[in-house]
Amino acid sequence: LEFRRVLFRSRAAACPVAPSALRLTLARRMPGEAKAFPNGFKMIARGSERGARMNFHCVRPRPCLDGEDGFSCQFWGGNHFPTSSCTELEVSMIFPSCWDGVRLTSPSMTEHVAYDTEPGEGSHDGPCPATHPVKIPQIRFYLRVHTYEGGPHVFSDGTDVLHADYFSGWNR
């Protein structure tokens, strides 16, 4: 799994923000329900793709505009870096869990995979679309930054679009 440099920088100055935690998981399924990634399989999870399940979660955003008891004072979620500071920022990237069953990759590395049709960020057990009928393990990648200061931040490629790549290369 390759993630576009975990360091961030402000648009105004190169200020790396080091993550405090990284976590990678594979969503569980019953044995036999998902096909293993074939050798040479490649895909990209990109926040700008239709149906993408990639988000920024800000715990206890500041300043709080709804009063200390308001829900927005406890949690903020969106698809871009929050401008407010947070006690903790979690970035979640969830990869597609359906494959066309034919191509190991595609020109943009996204056309041969799709998200299941079950709505929701954590879903992986929903049915696959007819165009991508093969279930594959769902990769989930999480990154946390404690005491996120807010402000305009971007990834090292100069955008705030979440993006992670998966390349299968194990020998069986």
Side-chain angles (χ1 to χ4, degrees):
L1 183 69
E2 182 267 333
F3 175 67
R4 277 191 197 219
R5 295 187 187 172
V6 180
L7 301 177
F8 309 97
R9 62 182 171 86
S10 165
R11 293 183 202 276
C15 278
V17 177
S20 53
L22 295 170
R23 182 172 51 127
L24 173 68
T25 63
L26 287 175
R28 293 180 57 165
R29 289 198 169 79
M30 296 301 293
E33 288 185 358
K35 180 174 175 56
F37 298 113
N39 196 24
F41 181 84
K42 299 176 183 178
M43 69 174 159
I44 287 180
R46 184 179 295 122
S48 60
E49 294 293 323
R50 184 173 166 245
R53 296 178 183 160
M54 306 179 106
N55 288 292
F56 293 87
H57 304 280
C58 184
V59 178
R60 291 190 197 92
R62 296 289 181 249
C64 179
L65 302 177
D66 289 345
E68 287 301 317
D69 294 330
F71 177 74
S72 68
C73 296
Q74 299 301 314
F75 179 81
W76 174 90
N79 59 5
H80 56 84
F81 281 103
T83 56
S84 300
S85 65
C86 311
T87 302
E88 180 177 76
L89 175 67
E90 180 179 87
V91 180
S92 63
M93 291 170 277
I94 299 175
F95 281 76
S97 59
C98 300
W99 174 42
D100 68 11
V102 178
R103 299 175 290 172
L104 295 177
T105 190
S106 54
S108 73
M109 293 178 57
T110 60
E111 293 96 357
H112 64 301
V113 291
Y115 288 94
D116 63 33
T117 59
E118 194 73 27
E121 181 181 313
S123 175
H124 67 280
D125 285 332
C128 286
T131 56
H132 297 78
V134 179
K135 282 280 196 184
I136 54 176
Q138 184 181 70
I139 299 169
R140 298 177 180 188
F141 187 66
Y142 302 94
L143 142 70
R144 291 177 182 256
V145 177
H146 290 290
T147 317
Y148 175 74
E149 294 181 13
H153 284 78
V154 294
F155 291 104
S156 60
D157 68 349
T159 73
D160 65 355
V161 176
L162 290 171
H163 170 121
D165 302 4
Y166 174 79
F167 299 162
S168 179
W170 59 30
N171 291 327
R172 293 193 241 176

